[in-house]
Amino acid sequence: MEPFSTVIRTASHEQHVEAETSTFMSDLLGGRLGVDAYARYTEQLWFVYGALEDEAGRLASDPVAGPFIRPELFRRSALERDLAHLRGAGWRAGLSALPATLAYAERVRACARSWPGGYVAHHYTRYLGDLSGGQIIRDRAEKAWGFARKGDGVRFYVFEEVGNPAAFKREYRELLDAVRADDLEKQRIVAECRKAFALNTGVFRALGEEFPLSA
Ligand code: HEM
C-alpha cells in the first residue's frame, strides 16, 4: 500500500499547481505587484496561523494531531514581526480579514475544536508548504521588495528553529505515514486537504480582485 504521505501529496498535486499558478501568486512572485499586495497577503496569513496555533496547545495531547504539534513550526510571532516591518508599529489597528480568509480560518478552528484528523490536513497543507515552496517565495520577495535576506518582512518563511528542513520534512512524512487513522478516516483527511487548498485558492482569488494589474 502507498504510504499516506504519498497519497496526500498525489491527491493535492493538481490543486497545488492551481494555487502556485493563480493569478495573484504569479503576479506577486513575478514582481508585478507592489509591496502593499504582499503586506495584505501577509495580513491574511496572520489570521490563518492564529487559527492553526491558538488551538495547538490543547491538541498537543491528542493521539491523532498531537505528534504534529511542533512549536518550532509556529509562525505567528514571525508574522507579527513582518507585519510591524511592513505596516509599522500600528499594524494591528489596520488589520482586516477578507471574507475568504475568515472562511478559511473558521474552518481551521472548527477542525481544531472537533476533528483532529481535519486539523492534520490543514497543518500539512500550510506548514509543509511553507517549508518547501515557501523558500522560493522568500527569495522572490527579498528581490522584489528589497527585504534583508531572511530578515524583517520575510521572517514568516524563515524557520529559525528547524535546523535541517529536508530532514524535518522527512520526519514529517513519517508522522503522516504513522497517523492514527483507519482507511476511511484517511480518505476524509485527504478530502480536507483538498478543501484546505481550495480555501487558499479562495484567498488568492479575493486578493487578485483587490490587486488587479492595471495593465
Ligand atoms: C508560488 C507559490 C508556490 C510555490 C513556488 C510552491 C512550490 C513548492 C515546491 C517546489 C514544493 C516541493 C517540495 C518538495 O518536493 O520537497 C512544494 C511542496 C508543497 N507545497 Fe507548495 N508552492 C507554492 C504554493 C503553495 C500553496 C499556496 C500551498 C498551500 C497552501 C502549498 C502547499 C504545499 C505542500 C503541502 C507541499 C508539500 C508536498 C509534499 O511533499 O507532501 N504550496 N511547493
Side-chain angles (χ1 to χ4, degrees), residues 5 8-9 12 16 19-21 25 29 41 104 124-126 128-130 132-134 136-137 140 169 173 176 196-197 200 204:
S5 59
I8 197 164
R9 177 171 42 188
S12 55
H16 184 277
E20 215 179 324
T21 55
M25 261 297 145
L29 301 183
Y41 171 50
Y104 184 6
Y124 161 78
T125 305
R126 283 299 340 174
L128 212 58
D130 300 330
S132 311
I136 301 170
I137 301 178
R140 303 271 186 90
K169 282 198 300 189
R173 290 191 182 107
L176 284 173
F197 269 94
N200 276 281
F204 291 158

